[in-house]
Amino acid sequence: MRPELLNPLFAEIEVLKGIGPAIAKPLAKLGLSRVIDLLFHLPTGSVQRRNVARLDEAQDGTIISIEVTPFQYRQGGARGPFRVLATDCDGDVLTLTFFGGGSGYARKQLPLGEKRLVSGKLEFYGQERQIIHPDHIVLPGESSKVPETEAIYPLSEGLTSRRLGQLVAQAMPRAPVLPEWIESSFLDSRGWQSWLSALKSIHQDPADSAARDRLAYDELFANQLALMLVRASSRRRRGMALAGDGSLRAMLKLPYQLTAAQRRSISEIEGDMTQKTPMVRLLQGDVGSGKTLVALHALLIAAECGAQGAMLAPTEILARQHYETLRTQLAGLPVNVAILTGRDKGRAREATMMGLADGSIHILVGTHAIFQEAVSYRKLALAVIDEQHRFGVAQRLLLTQKAEAPPHLLVMTATPIPRTLTLTHYGEMDISRLDEMPPGRQPIDTRVMSVERLAEVVDGLARHISAGGQGYWVCPLVEENETSDRAAAEARAESLRQRFGDRIGLVHGRMKGPDKDAMMQRFQSGELAILVATTVIEVGVDVPNATLMIIENAERFGLAQLHQLRGRVGRGSQHSVCLLLRGESLSETARARLTLMRETNDGFRIAEEDLKLRGAGEILGVRQSGEAQFRLATPEHVSALIQPATDDARLLVERDGGLEGERGKAARLALYLFERDAAVGLIRSG
């Protein structure tokens, strides 16, 4: 239960005065539904007001405060703007303009013949000087009410920075004084003020970098501490020790040798699985580095011990591909593999359910259907989760709850993640990295071309098809919805069919599962030469004969998608090409992104550069359902402060008595404040 001291911060935002439905809606669009959300909605900059005595002293576009005397009202039609004409001390005229029925307010605030101090952005409308909707209107003796520096906040329609600032000022007294959770010597070395002082300071002076650093550090510290507590809790649990005898693995007949990175990762996994403490390991590897084969070895260890393993995939396409791959590799072995997705019905589903319950099925591959309530296992001892970023923590726990004892957990991702972000998102996991490619894999030849050369590209496509080649043509996301994405793909497929006939296929996210699978099967069999697609093929499509990838309007894609899409080719020993078709105008970021793709195939390097270009929240798909995001810490903060925050959290756990010591009691408040309190519950239950 949240400490009572913090309850005022977590009250609904309606406890503040003046918040009705009209303002609650734009606040909700910004995600500001509680007092804490408002206080953590930090300003991005500030307005500097310049006090001037005469209009001649001010330039167009500057924000000024000036004393004027209103002398005339003008109404521009029934629905037109209301204008107040006023003069400065030299008699020069300033027009104060109000839209949206503001005449009543303007007449009250600006009576004719009485001096007022007004403040706002000075603009020139022809020869006329005007301020539209002044930010402040006060009596001449009340200039202290007009701040020289005023915070600028991220806004949505219907809000102003001034209104947000007023709400923040009203909310700030609800923030309590809290005991210090940062280790004292580190705090002194940084010269930081307290949490509350930093919060007040950043809203008053957005340029206070020390205050911003302090708040970002607090959030990172709470995150790292929570991950350490989760890890400690998992280490206290007792699972099933699995020491395989190697008999099944020795029967595997593979057409190629394992890489050193694969052998190292298998050894690390094998060592984990022999322990009663459940394994919690992340297997991180670039596209095509051989993660599935490493997972197969782990699944066979479970089977050698008379236990069961389950592999969870995010999409039906990927689940069925894994199933076919495993079935092929396990041919001739006394190991039963089954698949279960939401599409499997009737007798086939019943047979799978019975096989899981009586233990005759050793390995199950499927989508989220494999952890539904009706699915029960006889002896589930290993859960493998592919493409971790598609699953939330809650879904992960549902699968692990299917076992009598906590199962070993192997999480795989084809998304290369910078080390700093691996630390923040997977801090509770041990990590194995596949940092080399299997022998025979050739680098993909990546080229950038203007979309103006589309006719040349189609001619090249014709030559590729006539030589027996296959390829993909990926269409861009025009807007943030599947409909427009699909429309672009449908239009491109139709234009290509006019030249190449029925050898052109199409897949998109709105297709029904069976239709999508049938189209993929036609492409895999070679019946189709070109598959036009949306990003539905981003993960889980493996057609070695497909050696050409064309990505239309590539500048609209993030590095994540570009790298994953490129990874759909180059999966055999043949030379593969990726064409990035760019639009006519490019932003600097888009240009840098395409240049990087042309220069390297190394996903880990791409990830590090992506961190610099885009920010941590969007890195190659790291944004995760069910995983907390940072509100106060920027990518720069993560890079600079994650290591000291991790070290500080470790000191607290290992030296300072954890959450039970004096500093730990303060840190417990930080966990609740930054909503990482699930870790507190784990400590209690553990």
PDB file of all heavy atoms in Angstrom, residues 371-396:
ATOM      1  N   PHE A 371      -0.653 -19.587 -23.083  1.00  0.00           N
ATOM      2  CA  PHE A 371      -0.793 -19.390 -21.631  1.00  0.00           C
ATOM      3  C   PHE A 371      -2.230 -19.079 -21.223  1.00  0.00           C
ATOM      4  O   PHE A 371      -2.483 -18.558 -20.144  1.00  0.00           O
ATOM      5  CB  PHE A 371       0.187 -18.337 -21.091  1.00  0.00           C
ATOM      6  CG  PHE A 371       0.111 -16.982 -21.739  1.00  0.00           C
ATOM      7  CD1 PHE A 371      -0.991 -16.165 -21.562  1.00  0.00           C
ATOM      8  CD2 PHE A 371       1.166 -16.496 -22.499  1.00  0.00           C
ATOM      9  CE1 PHE A 371      -1.054 -14.912 -22.138  1.00  0.00           C
ATOM     10  CE2 PHE A 371       1.115 -15.235 -23.083  1.00  0.00           C
ATOM     11  CZ  PHE A 371      -0.001 -14.440 -22.893  1.00  0.00           C
ATOM     12  N   GLN A 372      -3.189 -19.425 -22.085  1.00  0.00           N
ATOM     13  CA  GLN A 372      -4.588 -19.252 -21.696  1.00  0.00           C
ATOM     14  C   GLN A 372      -4.943 -20.226 -20.578  1.00  0.00           C
ATOM     15  O   GLN A 372      -4.303 -21.260 -20.395  1.00  0.00           O
ATOM     16  CB  GLN A 372      -5.499 -19.475 -22.908  1.00  0.00           C
ATOM     17  CG  GLN A 372      -5.424 -18.334 -23.911  1.00  0.00           C
ATOM     18  CD  GLN A 372      -6.245 -18.590 -25.154  1.00  0.00           C
ATOM     19  OE1 GLN A 372      -6.704 -19.708 -25.373  1.00  0.00           O
ATOM     20  NE2 GLN A 372      -6.417 -17.564 -25.970  1.00  0.00           N
ATOM     21  N   GLU A 373      -5.994 -19.889 -19.843  1.00  0.00           N
ATOM     22  CA  GLU A 373      -6.350 -20.626 -18.634  1.00  0.00           C
ATOM     23  C   GLU A 373      -6.588 -22.108 -18.898  1.00  0.00           C
ATOM     24  O   GLU A 373      -6.248 -22.965 -18.085  1.00  0.00           O
ATOM     25  CB  GLU A 373      -7.610 -19.994 -18.013  1.00  0.00           C
ATOM     26  CG  GLU A 373      -7.901 -20.497 -16.615  1.00  0.00           C
ATOM     27  CD  GLU A 373      -9.058 -19.741 -15.973  1.00  0.00           C
ATOM     28  OE1 GLU A 373      -9.386 -18.631 -16.443  1.00  0.00           O
ATOM     29  OE2 GLU A 373      -9.626 -20.272 -15.014  1.00  0.00           O
ATOM     30  N   ALA A 374      -7.170 -22.433 -20.046  1.00  0.00           N
ATOM     31  CA  ALA A 374      -7.511 -23.829 -20.328  1.00  0.00           C
ATOM     32  C   ALA A 374      -6.291 -24.697 -20.634  1.00  0.00           C
ATOM     33  O   ALA A 374      -6.382 -25.924 -20.645  1.00  0.00           O
ATOM     34  CB  ALA A 374      -8.481 -23.880 -21.509  1.00  0.00           C
ATOM     35  N   VAL A 375      -5.132 -24.090 -20.881  1.00  0.00           N
ATOM     36  CA  VAL A 375      -3.930 -24.837 -21.246  1.00  0.00           C
ATOM     37  C   VAL A 375      -3.178 -25.238 -19.986  1.00  0.00           C
ATOM     38  O   VAL A 375      -2.791 -24.387 -19.183  1.00  0.00           O
ATOM     39  CB  VAL A 375      -3.013 -23.995 -22.166  1.00  0.00           C
ATOM     40  CG1 VAL A 375      -1.782 -24.795 -22.565  1.00  0.00           C
ATOM     41  CG2 VAL A 375      -3.770 -23.520 -23.391  1.00  0.00           C
ATOM     42  N   SER A 376      -2.975 -26.545 -19.809  1.00  0.00           N
ATOM     43  CA  SER A 376      -2.222 -27.013 -18.639  1.00  0.00           C
ATOM     44  C   SER A 376      -1.104 -27.943 -19.093  1.00  0.00           C
ATOM     45  O   SER A 376      -1.266 -28.713 -20.047  1.00  0.00           O
ATOM     46  CB  SER A 376      -3.146 -27.725 -17.644  1.00  0.00           C
ATOM     47  OG  SER A 376      -3.734 -28.856 -18.242  1.00  0.00           O
ATOM     48  N   TYR A 377       0.016 -27.881 -18.398  1.00  0.00           N
ATOM     49  CA  TYR A 377       1.197 -28.667 -18.731  1.00  0.00           C
ATOM     50  C   TYR A 377       1.436 -29.709 -17.637  1.00  0.00           C
ATOM     51  O   TYR A 377       1.131 -29.485 -16.470  1.00  0.00           O
ATOM     52  CB  TYR A 377       2.433 -27.761 -18.817  1.00  0.00           C
ATOM     53  CG  TYR A 377       2.351 -26.678 -19.869  1.00  0.00           C
ATOM     54  CD1 TYR A 377       1.605 -25.522 -19.656  1.00  0.00           C
ATOM     55  CD2 TYR A 377       3.018 -26.820 -21.073  1.00  0.00           C
ATOM     56  CE1 TYR A 377       1.538 -24.525 -20.622  1.00  0.00           C
ATOM     57  CE2 TYR A 377       2.964 -25.824 -22.054  1.00  0.00           C
ATOM     58  CZ  TYR A 377       2.215 -24.674 -21.813  1.00  0.00           C
ATOM     59  OH  TYR A 377       2.148 -23.692 -22.764  1.00  0.00           O
ATOM     60  N   ARG A 378       2.023 -30.818 -18.027  1.00  0.00           N
ATOM     61  CA  ARG A 378       2.360 -31.828 -17.014  1.00  0.00           C
ATOM     62  C   ARG A 378       3.598 -31.413 -16.236  1.00  0.00           C
ATOM     63  O   ARG A 378       3.651 -31.517 -15.016  1.00  0.00           O
ATOM     64  CB  ARG A 378       2.608 -33.183 -17.687  1.00  0.00           C
ATOM     65  CG  ARG A 378       2.940 -34.287 -16.689  1.00  0.00           C
ATOM     66  CD  ARG A 378       2.998 -35.644 -17.375  1.00  0.00           C
ATOM     67  NE  ARG A 378       3.359 -36.675 -16.424  1.00  0.00           N
ATOM     68  CZ  ARG A 378       4.625 -37.020 -16.131  1.00  0.00           C
ATOM     69  NH1 ARG A 378       5.636 -36.416 -16.755  1.00  0.00           N
ATOM     70  NH2 ARG A 378       4.888 -37.970 -15.259  1.00  0.00           N
ATOM     71  N   LYS A 379       4.610 -30.889 -16.950  1.00  0.00           N
ATOM     72  CA  LYS A 379       5.865 -30.546 -16.264  1.00  0.00           C
ATOM     73  C   LYS A 379       6.596 -29.452 -17.049  1.00  0.00           C
ATOM     74  O   LYS A 379       7.641 -29.681 -17.645  1.00  0.00           O
ATOM     75  CB  LYS A 379       6.747 -31.798 -16.131  1.00  0.00           C
ATOM     76  CG  LYS A 379       7.886 -31.654 -15.137  1.00  0.00           C
ATOM     77  CD  LYS A 379       8.645 -32.966 -15.028  1.00  0.00           C
ATOM     78  CE  LYS A 379       9.766 -32.872 -13.994  1.00  0.00           C
ATOM     79  NZ  LYS A 379      10.535 -34.146 -13.914  1.00  0.00           N
ATOM     80  N   LEU A 380       6.029 -28.245 -17.059  1.00  0.00           N
ATOM     81  CA  LEU A 380       6.661 -27.129 -17.767  1.00  0.00           C
ATOM     82  C   LEU A 380       7.872 -26.650 -16.971  1.00  0.00           C
ATOM     83  O   LEU A 380       7.752 -26.269 -15.809  1.00  0.00           O
ATOM     84  CB  LEU A 380       5.675 -25.976 -17.944  1.00  0.00           C
ATOM     85  CG  LEU A 380       6.216 -24.722 -18.650  1.00  0.00           C
ATOM     86  CD1 LEU A 380       6.636 -25.041 -20.085  1.00  0.00           C
ATOM     87  CD2 LEU A 380       5.190 -23.603 -18.634  1.00  0.00           C
ATOM     88  N   ALA A 381       9.046 -26.682 -17.600  1.00  0.00           N
ATOM     89  CA  ALA A 381      10.269 -26.314 -16.889  1.00  0.00           C
ATOM     90  C   ALA A 381      11.055 -25.206 -17.583  1.00  0.00           C
ATOM     91  O   ALA A 381      11.987 -24.659 -16.994  1.00  0.00           O
ATOM     92  CB  ALA A 381      11.163 -27.547 -16.725  1.00  0.00           C
ATOM     93  N   LEU A 382      10.692 -24.883 -18.835  1.00  0.00           N
ATOM     94  CA  LEU A 382      11.421 -23.834 -19.567  1.00  0.00           C
ATOM     95  C   LEU A 382      10.440 -23.045 -20.425  1.00  0.00           C
ATOM     96  O   LEU A 382       9.639 -23.630 -21.157  1.00  0.00           O
ATOM     97  CB  LEU A 382      12.498 -24.452 -20.468  1.00  0.00           C
ATOM     98  CG  LEU A 382      13.188 -23.498 -21.458  1.00  0.00           C
ATOM     99  CD1 LEU A 382      14.025 -22.460 -20.714  1.00  0.00           C
ATOM    100  CD2 LEU A 382      14.053 -24.271 -22.453  1.00  0.00           C
ATOM    101  N   ALA A 383      10.511 -21.739 -20.338  1.00  0.00           N
ATOM    102  CA  ALA A 383       9.725 -20.856 -21.200  1.00  0.00           C
ATOM    103  C   ALA A 383      10.697 -20.020 -22.018  1.00  0.00           C
ATOM    104  O   ALA A 383      11.578 -19.356 -21.466  1.00  0.00           O
ATOM    105  CB  ALA A 383       8.822 -19.957 -20.374  1.00  0.00           C
ATOM    106  N   VAL A 384      10.552 -20.080 -23.339  1.00  0.00           N
ATOM    107  CA  VAL A 384      11.365 -19.263 -24.248  1.00  0.00           C
ATOM    108  C   VAL A 384      10.436 -18.220 -24.864  1.00  0.00           C
ATOM    109  O   VAL A 384       9.397 -18.570 -25.433  1.00  0.00           O
ATOM    110  CB  VAL A 384      11.987 -20.126 -25.373  1.00  0.00           C
ATOM    111  CG1 VAL A 384      12.787 -19.240 -26.326  1.00  0.00           C
ATOM    112  CG2 VAL A 384      12.876 -21.212 -24.777  1.00  0.00           C
ATOM    113  N   ILE A 385      10.771 -16.953 -24.734  1.00  0.00           N
ATOM    114  CA  ILE A 385       9.940 -15.883 -25.282  1.00  0.00           C
ATOM    115  C   ILE A 385      10.724 -15.161 -26.367  1.00  0.00           C
ATOM    116  O   ILE A 385      11.786 -14.595 -26.112  1.00  0.00           O
ATOM    117  CB  ILE A 385       9.508 -14.886 -24.181  1.00  0.00           C
ATOM    118  CG1 ILE A 385       8.684 -15.622 -23.121  1.00  0.00           C
ATOM    119  CG2 ILE A 385       8.701 -13.740 -24.772  1.00  0.00           C
ATOM    120  CD1 ILE A 385       8.198 -14.743 -22.002  1.00  0.00           C
ATOM    121  N   ASP A 386      10.191 -15.216 -27.585  1.00  0.00           N
ATOM    122  CA  ASP A 386      10.865 -14.565 -28.712  1.00  0.00           C
ATOM    123  C   ASP A 386      10.310 -13.161 -28.898  1.00  0.00           C
ATOM    124  O   ASP A 386       9.129 -12.911 -28.668  1.00  0.00           O
ATOM    125  CB  ASP A 386      10.644 -15.380 -29.991  1.00  0.00           C
ATOM    126  CG  ASP A 386      11.616 -14.979 -31.091  1.00  0.00           C
ATOM    127  OD1 ASP A 386      12.593 -14.262 -30.782  1.00  0.00           O
ATOM    128  OD2 ASP A 386      11.414 -15.374 -32.243  1.00  0.00           O
ATOM    129  N   GLU A 387      11.185 -12.259 -29.340  1.00  0.00           N
ATOM    130  CA  GLU A 387      10.806 -10.857 -29.546  1.00  0.00           C
ATOM    131  C   GLU A 387      10.149 -10.276 -28.291  1.00  0.00           C
ATOM    132  O   GLU A 387       8.991  -9.907 -28.263  1.00  0.00           O
ATOM    133  CB  GLU A 387       9.890 -10.711 -30.768  1.00  0.00           C
ATOM    134  CG  GLU A 387      10.588 -10.984 -32.074  1.00  0.00           C
ATOM    135  CD  GLU A 387      11.833 -10.127 -32.290  1.00  0.00           C
ATOM    136  OE1 GLU A 387      11.840  -8.959 -31.869  1.00  0.00           O
ATOM    137  OE2 GLU A 387      12.803 -10.624 -32.866  1.00  0.00           O
ATOM    138  N   GLN A 388      10.959 -10.210 -27.223  1.00  0.00           N
ATOM    139  CA  GLN A 388      10.513  -9.754 -25.912  1.00  0.00           C
ATOM    140  C   GLN A 388       9.768  -8.440 -25.949  1.00  0.00           C
ATOM    141  O   GLN A 388       8.824  -8.223 -25.206  1.00  0.00           O
ATOM    142  CB  GLN A 388      11.741  -9.638 -24.994  1.00  0.00           C
ATOM    143  CG  GLN A 388      11.629  -8.661 -23.830  1.00  0.00           C
ATOM    144  CD  GLN A 388      10.688  -9.133 -22.756  1.00  0.00           C
ATOM    145  OE1 GLN A 388      10.259 -10.273 -22.761  1.00  0.00           O
ATOM    146  NE2 GLN A 388      10.349  -8.258 -21.836  1.00  0.00           N
ATOM    147  N   HIS A 389      10.163  -7.501 -26.838  1.00  0.00           N
ATOM    148  CA  HIS A 389       9.568  -6.172 -26.805  1.00  0.00           C
ATOM    149  C   HIS A 389       8.103  -6.174 -27.206  1.00  0.00           C
ATOM    150  O   HIS A 389       7.416  -5.173 -27.055  1.00  0.00           O
ATOM    151  CB  HIS A 389      10.361  -5.193 -27.692  1.00  0.00           C
ATOM    152  CG  HIS A 389      10.344  -5.504 -29.149  1.00  0.00           C
ATOM    153  ND1 HIS A 389      11.170  -6.436 -29.721  1.00  0.00           N
ATOM    154  CD2 HIS A 389       9.591  -5.006 -30.155  1.00  0.00           C
ATOM    155  CE1 HIS A 389      10.952  -6.486 -31.018  1.00  0.00           C
ATOM    156  NE2 HIS A 389       9.993  -5.628 -31.314  1.00  0.00           N
ATOM    157  N   ARG A 390       7.577  -7.314 -27.723  1.00  0.00           N
ATOM    158  CA  ARG A 390       6.156  -7.384 -28.062  1.00  0.00           C
ATOM    159  C   ARG A 390       5.309  -7.840 -26.868  1.00  0.00           C
ATOM    160  O   ARG A 390       4.094  -7.873 -26.959  1.00  0.00           O
ATOM    161  CB  ARG A 390       5.936  -8.370 -29.224  1.00  0.00           C
ATOM    162  CG  ARG A 390       6.730  -8.049 -30.496  1.00  0.00           C
ATOM    163  CD  ARG A 390       6.228  -6.757 -31.144  1.00  0.00           C
ATOM    164  NE  ARG A 390       6.923  -6.515 -32.395  1.00  0.00           N
ATOM    165  CZ  ARG A 390       6.470  -6.924 -33.575  1.00  0.00           C
ATOM    166  NH1 ARG A 390       5.343  -7.580 -33.667  1.00  0.00           N
ATOM    167  NH2 ARG A 390       7.143  -6.664 -34.673  1.00  0.00           N
ATOM    168  N   PHE A 391       5.954  -8.263 -25.774  1.00  0.00           N
ATOM    169  CA  PHE A 391       5.208  -8.794 -24.642  1.00  0.00           C
ATOM    170  C   PHE A 391       5.456  -7.962 -23.393  1.00  0.00           C
ATOM    171  O   PHE A 391       6.566  -7.520 -23.130  1.00  0.00           O
ATOM    172  CB  PHE A 391       5.613 -10.241 -24.343  1.00  0.00           C
ATOM    173  CG  PHE A 391       5.232 -11.201 -25.425  1.00  0.00           C
ATOM    174  CD1 PHE A 391       6.149 -11.604 -26.363  1.00  0.00           C
ATOM    175  CD2 PHE A 391       3.937 -11.677 -25.520  1.00  0.00           C
ATOM    176  CE1 PHE A 391       5.802 -12.473 -27.377  1.00  0.00           C
ATOM    177  CE2 PHE A 391       3.575 -12.548 -26.530  1.00  0.00           C
ATOM    178  CZ  PHE A 391       4.502 -12.944 -27.461  1.00  0.00           C
ATOM    179  N   GLY A 392       4.410  -7.785 -22.620  1.00  0.00           N
ATOM    180  CA  GLY A 392       4.552  -7.092 -21.348  1.00  0.00           C
ATOM    181  C   GLY A 392       4.947  -8.060 -20.252  1.00  0.00           C
ATOM    182  O   GLY A 392       4.878  -9.277 -20.402  1.00  0.00           O
ATOM    183  N   VAL A 393       5.358  -7.509 -19.121  1.00  0.00           N
ATOM    184  CA  VAL A 393       5.764  -8.321 -17.976  1.00  0.00           C
ATOM    185  C   VAL A 393       4.602  -9.198 -17.517  1.00  0.00           C
ATOM    186  O   VAL A 393       4.772 -10.356 -17.152  1.00  0.00           O
ATOM    187  CB  VAL A 393       6.253  -7.417 -16.826  1.00  0.00           C
ATOM    188  CG1 VAL A 393       6.539  -8.241 -15.587  1.00  0.00           C
ATOM    189  CG2 VAL A 393       7.506  -6.669 -17.256  1.00  0.00           C
ATOM    190  N   ALA A 394       3.374  -8.653 -17.537  1.00  0.00           N
ATOM    191  CA  ALA A 394       2.208  -9.412 -17.066  1.00  0.00           C
ATOM    192  C   ALA A 394       2.014 -10.679 -17.896  1.00  0.00           C
ATOM    193  O   ALA A 394       1.731 -11.752 -17.362  1.00  0.00           O
ATOM    194  CB  ALA A 394       0.963  -8.537 -17.130  1.00  0.00           C
ATOM    195  N   GLN A 395       2.186 -10.567 -19.224  1.00  0.00           N
ATOM    196  CA  GLN A 395       2.037 -11.742 -20.083  1.00  0.00           C
ATOM    197  C   GLN A 395       3.133 -12.762 -19.804  1.00  0.00           C
ATOM    198  O   GLN A 395       2.906 -13.967 -19.841  1.00  0.00           O
ATOM    199  CB  GLN A 395       2.079 -11.310 -21.550  1.00  0.00           C
ATOM    200  CG  GLN A 395       0.843 -10.512 -21.968  1.00  0.00           C
ATOM    201  CD  GLN A 395       1.030  -9.881 -23.323  1.00  0.00           C
ATOM    202  OE1 GLN A 395       1.986  -9.146 -23.545  1.00  0.00           O
ATOM    203  NE2 GLN A 395       0.123 -10.155 -24.234  1.00  0.00           N
ATOM    204  N   ARG A 396       4.321 -12.254 -19.515  1.00  0.00           N
ATOM    205  CA  ARG A 396       5.452 -13.126 -19.202  1.00  0.00           C
ATOM    206  C   ARG A 396       5.145 -13.943 -17.951  1.00  0.00           C
ATOM    207  O   ARG A 396       5.385 -15.148 -17.891  1.00  0.00           O
ATOM    208  CB  ARG A 396       6.684 -12.249 -18.981  1.00  0.00           C
ATOM    209  CG  ARG A 396       7.983 -12.898 -19.389  1.00  0.00           C
ATOM    210  CD  ARG A 396       9.053 -11.853 -19.508  1.00  0.00           C
ATOM    211  NE  ARG A 396       9.546 -11.383 -18.227  1.00  0.00           N
ATOM    212  CZ  ARG A 396      10.332 -10.330 -18.077  1.00  0.00           C
ATOM    213  NH1 ARG A 396      10.655  -9.620 -19.119  1.00  0.00           N
ATOM    214  NH2 ARG A 396      10.770  -9.982 -16.897  1.00  0.00           N
TER     215      ARG A 396
END
